[in-house]
Amino acid sequence: MATPTVGSLPMSERIATLDIIRGFALLGILIMNMPGFSSSFFAEADGSHQWTGQLDQVAEAIRDMLFSGKFNSMFSLLFGIGFTIQFARMEQRDPANATRLYLRRLLVLAVFGIVHAVVFWTGDVLHVYALLGLVLVLGLRRVSDRGIVALIVACLVYPALSGALRVMVITKDIVAERVRIAQAFEISNNAAYGQGSFADTVLENARVMAFFYGDPISLWNTFGWYVMMAMTLLIGVLAGRRRWVQRIPELLPQIRRLAWWALAIGLVCGAAFTLIFEINRAPGPSPIKVLGSVCFNLSRLSMMICYVLVIVQLAQHATWQRWLATLAAAGRMPLTNYLLETAICITLFNGWGLGLWMKVGPALGLLLSFAIFFVVLVPWSLWWLKRHERGPLEALWARATYGG
């Protein structure tokens, strides 16, 4: 086996707790991506329920309260921690080339993400991490800890300010036009993804991505998503700088207290936004929806922190370490497994595959997510890592970045 290059991460340098959290995040992301794999992102634009069965509605409410937004935020947190640790190591080993190599690493990640989004599935998050990483390397890397905290606060406040602005500028006519556009996209999505060929899928993906980034109001929505990802990425940068991961044993008392506070805030805010958006399903902004958006973002941050801190505590015990080893295996190859989730699901749901489009509701989708993860991804990861140090796409990423 070749000697690891300046940017690769051999097993001796991996932090097992971070791999466990990555594995857990992969499961959560699959659960939250399942509706987007099996039906149009533009469904329910008029405020109606796509699934009317009681079991499906309960599953949908539980999914949104406990999972929505928490796991892509968890991945961005890990991205920030990983950036800080990895870039510091790269600067130590090759200071003259560290910035160039990391920018190249981000470029390769962006290529993965753009291909994933345009060719396979428009819910891709890799290109988002690549763009945020670019801002981090070129603009924020030398910002002080106090400056990072100020940016985190600004990101946390943004949804309230953006929501208030929407109430002031979005008229009823604009709302009606947005509903019409979304319904047209839902029809074309159903035709392309539900009944079309693979080529139809690619063409529709390109149309959707062009809309996400080309339409002004859609870009406003997309920017808000970037802000939320940036917030948890910056928390990860702060955690990396202050070596919180390496200092877990000494921080355990604070971790226990913070986990309980995060759980309480997350559940209260989660129940609040679930109730607010269920009662106020009519399209268009309103003051109560601004409050719902604030509650949603507080919930996603608090519950994500709670999940991370609970895993951190469990990972300190030998018994739990054995149980969590399966999550760690999946988490050691996050790029491979993230893209494999897409490959499996679009094959299941798209018309050119098994054609289950619009046939799997929230309850069955929740069960299917656990089945794919624990029956396919975990055994596959364990099998692969017995024979290789890294996942296949992780190895390709490293080769494309560092050569050799």
Side-chain angles (χ1 to χ4, degrees):
M1 184 175 295
T3 301
T5 62
V6 65
S8 61
L9 191 62
M11 274 300 297
S12 59
E13 296 185 35
R14 298 195 70 90
I15 299 174
T17 301
L18 294 183
D19 285 331
I20 294 169
I21 297 171
R22 284 190 191 95
F24 187 60
L26 282 166
L27 171 60
I29 284 175
L30 178 58
I31 290 170
M32 282 314 305
N33 284 349
M34 189 60 68
F37 285 131
S38 59
S39 61
S40 173
F41 284 122
F42 300 90
E44 302 184 4
D46 61 356
S48 62
H49 276 292
Q50 185 177 7
W51 303 96
T52 57
Q54 185 175 6
L55 183 59
D56 280 325
Q57 291 194 11
V58 169
E60 187 175 35
I62 292 173
R63 184 194 68 206
D64 290 346
M65 183 175 175
L66 298 181
F67 294 91
S68 181
K70 284 73 172 177
F71 294 93
N72 49 24
S73 295
M74 192 180 294
F75 246 131
S76 64
L77 175 83
L78 294 166
F79 188 92
I81 295 173
F83 162 80
T84 306
I85 294 173
Q86 187 173 50
F87 197 87
R89 190 180 70 252
M90 292 167 68
E91 283 194 312
Q92 182 180 16
R93 296 181 181 178
D94 190 1
N97 294 309
T99 299
R100 178 184 62 83
L101 283 173
Y102 205 89
L103 289 175
R104 187 171 173 181
R105 179 176 174 82
L106 291 173
L107 176 62
V108 176
L109 181 63
V111 171
F112 275 121
I114 292 169
V115 172
H116 181 221
V118 175
V119 177
F120 299 101
W121 187 60
T122 55
D124 172 77
V125 75
L126 300 177
H127 72 285
V128 177
Y129 295 149
L131 288 173
L132 290 176
L134 184 65
V135 173
L136 187 59
V137 173
L138 297 181
L140 301 179
R141 179 162 50 94
R142 302 194 185 281
V143 172
S144 68
D145 286 0
R146 182 174 295 180
I148 294 294
V149 171
L151 288 171
I152 292 169
V153 172
C155 290
L156 192 58
V157 171
Y158 173 83
L161 299 179
S162 178
L165 183 59
R166 286 174 187 274
V167 172
M168 291 187 288
V169 303
I170 301 297
T171 65
K172 291 183 179 179
D173 289 341
I174 294 175
V175 172
E177 176 64 12
R178 304 310 294 180
V179 171
R180 186 196 65 77
I181 292 172
Q183 289 174 336
F185 264 109
E186 183 181 6
I187 292 171
S188 64
N189 284 180
N190 289 341
Y193 303 141
Q195 303 172 25
S197 65
F198 187 83
D200 294 327
T201 295
V202 175
L203 291 174
E204 187 70 2
N205 287 345
R207 287 186 64 243
V208 171
M209 292 302 293
F211 176 75
F212 285 163
Y213 286 96
D215 176 84
I217 294 180
S218 180
L219 185 59
W220 188 355
N221 298 333
T222 302
F223 180 74
W225 190 41
Y226 273 82
V227 170
M228 291 301 99
M229 293 300 100
M231 177 177 63
T232 42
L233 183 146
L234 291 171
I235 294 173
V237 169
L238 198 62
R241 286 182 178 183
R242 297 188 176 183
R243 297 180 59 82
W244 289 341
V245 176
Q246 293 87 344
R247 295 167 53 207
I248 286 173
E250 70 176 90
L251 295 175
L252 276 177
Q254 296 96 312
I255 288 172
R256 294 189 186 98
R257 288 195 296 271
L258 182 57
W260 283 110
W261 276 106
L263 177 62
I265 294 171
L267 290 178
V268 170
C269 290
F273 86 73
T274 300
L275 181 62
I276 287 171
F277 286 120
E278 180 58 33
I279 294 175
N280 300 274
R281 295 187 65 87
S286 66
I288 190 64
K289 285 186 178 180
V290 175
L291 176 60
S293 177
V294 170
C295 290
F296 172 76
N297 285 289
L298 286 173
S299 175
R300 75 186 293 177
L301 176 63
S302 298
M303 291 302 295
M304 182 273 292
I305 291 173
C306 176
Y307 293 151
V308 168
L309 296 183
V310 168
I311 291 173
V312 164
Q313 293 177 74
L314 294 177
Q316 307 311 303
H317 302 282
T319 301
W320 277 102
Q321 287 172 4
R322 290 193 292 271
W323 283 99
L324 295 172
T326 56
L327 289 177
R332 279 179 55 191
M333 31 198 291
L335 178 61
T336 297
N337 283 326
Y338 173 71
L339 295 178
L340 188 56
E341 288 176 357
T342 295
I344 292 170
C345 289
I346 62 174
T347 302
L348 287 174
F349 294 111
N350 285 16
W352 52 262
L354 296 183
L356 296 179
W357 184 262
M358 290 293 296
K359 297 178 181 177
V360 174
L364 183 55
L366 195 60
L367 293 176
L368 184 60
S369 299
F370 281 97
I372 291 172
F373 187 81
F374 286 106
V375 177
V376 180
L377 296 184
V378 167
W380 139 257
S381 299
L382 291 169
W383 178 86
W384 181 270
L385 291 172
K386 285 181 180 179
R387 295 157 177 81
H388 307 275
E389 185 172 315
R390 289 176 290 184
L393 292 183
E394 285 74 16
L396 178 61
W397 187 11
R399 181 176 293 272
T401 302
Y402 311 111

